[in-house]
Amino acid sequence: MLNSFEIKNITGLSEQEVKRRQEQEGFNELQSANKRSFLTIAFEVAREPMFLLLIASGIIYLLLGDKEEALMLLSFVFVIIGITIYQERKTEHALEALRDLSSPRALVIRDREQKRIAGREVVRGDIIILAEGDRVPADAVLLWCVNLSADESLLTGESVPVRKMTGDGKEEKMERPGGDDLPYVFSGTLITQGQGVARVLSIAMNTEMGRIGRALQTLDADKTLLQRDIKKLVMNLALIGLSLCIIVVVIYGVTRGNWLNGFLAGITLAMATLPEEFPVVLTIFLALGAWRMSQKKVLTRRMPAIESLGSATVLCVDKTGTLTVNRMTVKKLFSRDRFYDLRTNVDEALPESFHELAEYSILASQKDPFDPMEKAFMQIGHQYLMDTEHLHDEWALVYEYPLSREMLALSHVWKSTHTQDYIIAAKGAPEAIAELCHFSDRQMKDLMEKIQIMAGDGLRILGVAKACFKHSDLPDEQHDFDFEFLGLAGLEAPIRPTVPAAIKECYEAGIRVIMITGDYPGTAQNIGRQIGLKSIDDMITGPELNAMKDEELKEHIRTVNIFARVVPEQKLRIVQALKAVKEVVAMTGDGVNDAPALKAADIGIAMGGRGTDVARESSALVILDDDFSSIVQAVRMGRRIFDNIKKAMAYILGIHVPIAGMSLIPVLFKMPLVLLPVHIVFLELIIDPVCSVVFEAEPEEKDVMKRMPRDPREPLFSRQTIGLSLLQGFSVLQIVLGVYFISLLRGQGELEARALTFTTLIIANLGLIMINRSWSQLFVSTLNMKNKAMTWIMAGTLFFLGLVLYVPLLRELFRFAVLHPVDIIICIGAGIVSILWFEFFKVWKRKRT
């Protein structure tokens, strides 16, 4: 393939030189306009409603002459800014890590080894290997290429791919893109055909892409359905809070004649009702959830995929490299009407009648192969042909006829040292090889019988042929050679050991698995049987799929779990048929032709190891290790993330009920105010960290993969969820309000009543946190510190509560009185009772239902 240009002769840069150039010139990435600085985040925080309400409260306290209270509120302002900036930066770092993973990859040669790296790690002078479907990582000059074309529409606006040619190796400066027969490839452009090797001349902002100012694909937090629903909910609650705020200000001012304190009471209520945590928590959960998934070898390129994962009802997967290990061995040969099983004759010499088949399968492969099948053929040569005349290291490769969509076979043209004739070796799909050999119908029928025998053993089958050509000018097409059929080679890829258990887990989770493969039906059934796929006898082949009408396909698609002899273009039709019968489809793919199906699927999943950049860019998820079990782990993680979002939202909605109630009720009944802005701020300092840390880190439910997929139309806040959250809140409000009334009736005074009520509310708040987590892990995980975040927050909250109750300065700022230990015990008991009351009601209702 490489003629006189051999990959094994390329040394490439050393790792030390790469490191030096990265230090001098930086990474191969464009400046991101979306990256926010510390000051930008701080300015955005300063515009938040909660921040503005705190400032307004501080100003009112200054007008009232209460400097200590004003300073306390302003200090809390800076604490909230710090917490928010920390959360925002954590989210930014998670997204930056995902951008690094989602940047175009590059296959480079360094220290004589081929390595696949992130595109941002490419340096000037790197040798890169390009193939169909690759996104070019940097501006480079071609050292060698065959049939290479590139889509440069990103730079030129011309949609027609341009043809490339090999340079003379002396080019040191890039020319402008556009036009055929240039030896340059440009960063961000797409290889549409052929293969090539190039040397990088420019990276990052020095590329044509950088000069034009166009940004590469970045990972942004798309506005999801959840985000839109929550934004609408926040707006509605904010309007309600604003209305109540105005009502409270008017009632307080009219009935008590103190308008400044009325404004203070109104601001307190507004702070209590404003659920500004909703959008913050959702953004953090999705970003950190995507980051956690990346640690499981699953890259999230589009945030809506996290929502969709829990709804997936069908998982369509490729066989090769996903269900099987991307490593192959030759197991069976057929030549001259005879089969030979290498599995049962491991220690025996290969019969002479099969030598020519092995010889030409090697000649039709790369000398230094990367493809697993070609590596398997090379292994046959090393094992069986080392001392024979059938290995030809001294022969020169003259030309290659590449595999194409029209002809699923390739041919290598060699120049022998013993003759002036050209020797041609071809390998590919058996039907394509039979076509090259001009088989008759009878010959084709006999061949298909042999193919079915080998396919029944679960083997991937390739045909091999040879030809001799005496003329000096090679023909344009492989068809013009007079090929002689040599035989069939059956290769086997071992099943990944984790796949059967993962398939079983899918079925338990209500997810149907469909295998799509280009292999023969017998091979597909054999693999399906090994991995535990259901209904393997019912299948559809590619030709049958073409012959079916859409309505007929819709009927069959409900039960068929195997599609064999399918070409990538047919995947799109399978996806459309599944979606037509209301399935939520996750589809895997790795090639250029898989892109339409990946984009059409509800969840497109690209293979990160062997997948093309086009497939990656069309997908919502990228499986970095190409392992099917990682897809199942992604579903598990997606369900966990959605569950935790629901828990956090239920907690937020529930805790705002008693806070708002204790801000409103005393005003309506002309009673002393219980909650002041400083108390709301203290509660906010609990709510935000709890939601972003405790609930996000919450482990999965035990039945997370034992329940049916979630209905995608199911809203986050169903009537049941809202009802339970409000019931939680009102349960707490009843007890807290009872503690407040009883303390006033006992004549304990405003300060002591406030201290008792606030302490009860804090204890009940911690209880709400726990009951919105998994009951099965509730106390055990807290006591044995399995969830360290929960333990630290509970300990820190109680410690700070003790400080404000017993440190004179803080107690005065919070307007508390010293509580007797017996009162503390009463508060703890009341807080627990409020939670147990709700749980009793919930259990009673469940039993009644």
Side-chain angles (χ1 to χ4, degrees), residues 385-396:
L385 304 180
M386 286 301 293
D387 297 325
T388 71
E389 73 279 7
H390 296 288
L391 293 181
H392 310 286
D393 292 335
E394 73 282 3
W395 284 14

Side-chain angles (χ1 to χ4, degrees), residues 658-814:
I659 295 174
M662 293 311 297
S663 301
L664 178 63
I665 292 173
V667 175
L668 297 178
F669 291 94
K670 295 185 181 181
M671 302 170 70
L673 295 179
V674 178
L675 298 179
L676 302 173
V678 67
H679 304 124
I680 303 296
V681 172
F682 180 80
L683 288 167
E684 292 291 336
L685 292 178
I686 297 174
I687 294 171
D688 273 349
V690 162
C691 291
S692 62
V693 177
V694 174
F695 286 108
E696 195 281 325
E698 179 74 359
E700 66 194 35
E701 300 281 354
K702 286 187 175 180
D703 67 339
V704 70
M705 293 297 281
K706 303 289 184 182
R707 56 180 186 247
M708 297 300 291
R710 176 179 58 86
D711 186 344
R713 295 167 294 181
E714 174 191 339
L716 177 65
F717 289 103
S718 62
R719 290 183 178 180
Q720 182 180 8
T721 302
I722 293 175
L724 288 176
S725 296
L726 293 177
L727 187 59
Q728 286 179 353
F730 281 115
S731 299
V732 173
L733 178 60
Q734 287 178 17
I735 300 298
V736 172
L737 200 58
V739 170
Y740 178 58
F741 283 148
I742 291 171
S743 62
L744 289 179
L745 290 173
R746 289 174 59 192
Q748 290 180 286
E750 178 184 338
L751 298 183
E752 193 169 353
R754 180 180 291 121
L756 279 167
T757 306
F758 187 75
T759 302
T760 304
L761 183 57
I762 291 295
I763 300 299
N765 180 36
L766 294 177
L768 270 180
I769 295 170
M770 294 200 296
I771 67 168
N772 281 287
R773 298 175 63 227
S774 306
W775 266 109
S776 60
Q777 302 166 359
L778 184 57
F779 295 107
V780 175
S781 65
T782 301
L783 292 176
N784 67 13
M785 293 187 69
K786 282 186 178 178
N787 191 329
K788 294 183 180 180
M790 180 67 200
T791 305
W792 280 109
I793 284 177
M794 289 186 67
T797 301
L798 295 175
F799 174 74
F800 194 73
L801 180 62
L803 291 179
V804 299
L805 287 174
Y806 294 104
V807 174
L809 177 61
L810 292 175
R811 187 171 65 243
E812 183 178 347
L813 290 172
F814 274 75

Side-chain angles (χ1 to χ4, degrees), residues 74 174 443 485 532:
L74 292 175
M174 297 292 296
Q443 287 176 306
F485 184 75

Side-chain angles (χ1 to χ4, degrees), residues 609-643:
R610 69 181 192 278
T612 62
D613 288 323
V614 172
R616 286 159 57 92
E617 290 168 9
S618 301
S619 66
L621 300 175
V622 178
I623 305 302
L624 300 178
D625 60 0
D626 294 359
D627 193 339
F628 176 78
S629 63
S630 295
I631 303 175
V632 181
Q633 287 301 313
V635 174
R636 174 188 292 272
M637 187 74 69
R639 291 188 176 191
R640 172 200 163 187
I641 291 168
F642 193 86
D643 285 349

